Structure formats: C-alpha cells, structure tokens
Amino acid sequence: MKKLFVSTAVAALMIGSAGAAMADCTVVDTSFEENLRDNSEMRAAYAGPTIRDLRDLRDAAMVLAAYGQNEACEEVAQAIKQISADPAKANKMSYAYREHQIEGADHAELAYENAKPLTETTGRLRADELLGADLHGQNNETVGEISDIVFDSSGSPGYAVVAYGGFLGIGEESSAIPFDMLKVSPNGERFFVSMTEEQIEKAPRFEQGNFDWTDDEAWRDNNDQYFHSSNSQGQG
C-alpha cells in the first residue's frame, strides 16, 4: 500500500478554526455559512474574486487571533461581515480593483483553454501558492478551494484536497483530486481541473479534516477511477 502524508503547513490553522472561534475572536459566522451552504442562489450572488478577497481577510484574521491580537482580529471579522452583507457592491468593488491591477494584462493568461498540466510546468511553484487558492472548472467557474496537499512516500504531491460548499469556513466536505489532473494558467496565477462543476459535485467526498482515506486503498482506487473516468468524458 502506498503511504500518503498530509501537508499541514497552512491547513492546520485554517481547518482547525474554520466555522468556530479562535480565542475570543469569532472569524467565521457559522449560521451565515450554513445559510449559504443550503441556498445556492444566495451563494451565487458572490463573484469568485469577491470570495477570494473575503477568504484572504479570513486568513489574516485567523493569523491575528493566533498571535493573540484579538482586537485586530475582531476588526477584520467585522469588515468581513460588512462586505459580505452587500454582495452586489462587493462584486463591483472587487472587479474595479482587479481591472486597475491588471490593466493592459492579457486575459487569455487566465483562461482554461490555455492552461497546462501542473505536473508538466517547468517553473517552481510554492505550496503556499496552492494552499487556499480557488480551483476552477472546465467552464472557468470556481468549484472549490484547495485546502491541503497530500504527498506520497516519495515526497511527490499525490492529491489536492479541495473543499466544497462553504464560503469562509472552507467547506463542510472535501474531495481528493489526483494531483496529475490539476492544470495551471501560463502566468501561474490560476488553477484548474478538467471537469465541470457538476462532475466535481458528484465526486467521492469525506468530512473536512478527516484523512482516514489516506490509509484506505480501496477508497482511493474508487476515487481515482471516478476522477480519471470523468476527466476522460469531459475531454471527449
């Protein structure tokens, strides 16, 4: 049986406190998360860039809490709440900010059609560029958040753990996507999987933070078969 190892460089902080409180600072509103999880229309009101910005703020708040800076954490948490309250306004500001940042940039650099397999890239990619990144599907839609990386016994990445259904709490459940299925945009700023959102939602799942599957060869075989089969159908 191939031994697998879970990366905990960033995920321990994010997963351990997601949807709960760190010290005296509540970063994620659990009831708000639950409403979003159960209401697809409510979830769809938030554009991908807006969600990414809010997740960056979430991570910053959690770091502040970990250092005992609870007052600063609460200020960021309050800002998250205020921004989340008006998705239309947040989306508008998020896109305006990005248009200013990438003015004159080649938008084709971020298109799925031009992405290359991550395992075939010649440049160096840091783990922190993957952890917390949005994963995009075949139609460029956001399908989840990369919350962890699982390595095999040789030290090579085996799976990207992708969380679904959540908003700032990362997600209630996760799937393990074979690492060789991931793609990256030419500029290295966007990650893809060659599947549709519908295919991703039907994938085998496990409870967030539960890595018992790493020792279950039968589960992994079934999981790998699903992803590679779905990928072949999507490419056909």
Side-chain angles (χ1 to χ4, degrees):
M1 179 185 298
K2 184 182 289 186
K3 185 66 176 176
L4 300 174
F5 301 91
V6 181
S7 164
T8 57
V10 173
L13 172 64
M14 295 168 64
I15 295 171
S17 57
M22 286 191 69
D24 297 324
C25 177
T26 301
V27 180
V28 177
D29 185 334
T30 305
S31 61
F32 181 69
E33 286 285 309
E34 291 175 348
N35 287 335
L36 277 175
R37 186 186 66 225
D38 299 334
N39 190 329
S40 59
E41 291 185 4
M42 183 178 177
R43 245 187 353 259
Y46 296 88
T50 302
I51 294 175
R52 185 57 192 268
D53 289 343
L54 289 168
R55 285 174 176 167
D56 287 343
L57 289 171
R58 172 204 64 191
D59 295 347
M62 289 179 176
V63 170
L64 288 168
Y67 279 86
Q69 300 295 319
N70 294 319
E71 185 175 346
C73 174
E74 287 289 358
E75 290 181 2
V76 176
Q78 183 62 28
I80 292 173
K81 186 175 181 180
Q82 291 175 354
I83 294 172
S84 302
D86 191 343
K89 179 180 179 181
N91 293 341
K92 182 178 180 180
M93 296 183 71
S94 179
Y95 279 117
Y97 166 73
R98 279 167 172 74
E99 286 299 321
H100 174 73
Q101 291 295 103
I102 62 175
E103 186 175 351
D106 184 2
H107 290 267
E109 285 279 314
L110 299 176
Y112 165 81
E113 291 76 14
N114 297 320
K116 297 181 178 181
L118 193 57
T119 53
E120 296 179 10
T121 56
T122 56
R124 297 185 178 218
L125 188 68
R126 299 192 311 272
D128 65 353
E129 294 179 277
L130 277 165
L131 293 170
D134 289 333
L135 183 65
H136 298 265
Q138 201 167 357
N139 299 317
N140 287 305
E141 75 279 20
T142 301
V143 297
E145 179 182 2
I146 301 175
S147 62
D148 218 327
I149 302 171
V150 176
F151 296 86
D152 62 26
S153 57
S154 69
S156 299
Y159 296 92
V161 176
V162 178
Y164 306 92
F167 184 60
L168 300 181
I170 299 183
E172 294 296 324
E173 295 181 303
S174 298
S175 288
I177 299 180
F179 203 79
D180 61 7
M181 289 187 59
L182 298 188
K183 291 188 173 186
V184 62
S185 61
N187 61 7
E189 294 182 3
R190 181 171 290 186
F191 302 98
F192 299 92
V193 61
S194 303
M195 297 171 68
T196 64
E197 186 174 13
E198 182 179 8
Q199 289 173 320
I200 291 289
E201 290 177 349
K202 294 179 180 178
R205 297 192 181 194
F206 55 92
E207 185 180 351
Q208 180 68 29
N210 183 348
F211 288 93
D212 290 345
W213 59 271
T214 60
D215 294 320
D216 188 340
E217 189 170 7
W219 189 95
R220 297 201 313 272
D221 286 345
N222 179 62
N223 178 74
D224 294 357
Q225 182 179 4
Y226 173 82
F227 276 106
H228 287 117
S229 174
S230 297
N231 180 49
S232 297
Q233 294 173 15
Q235 292 298 315

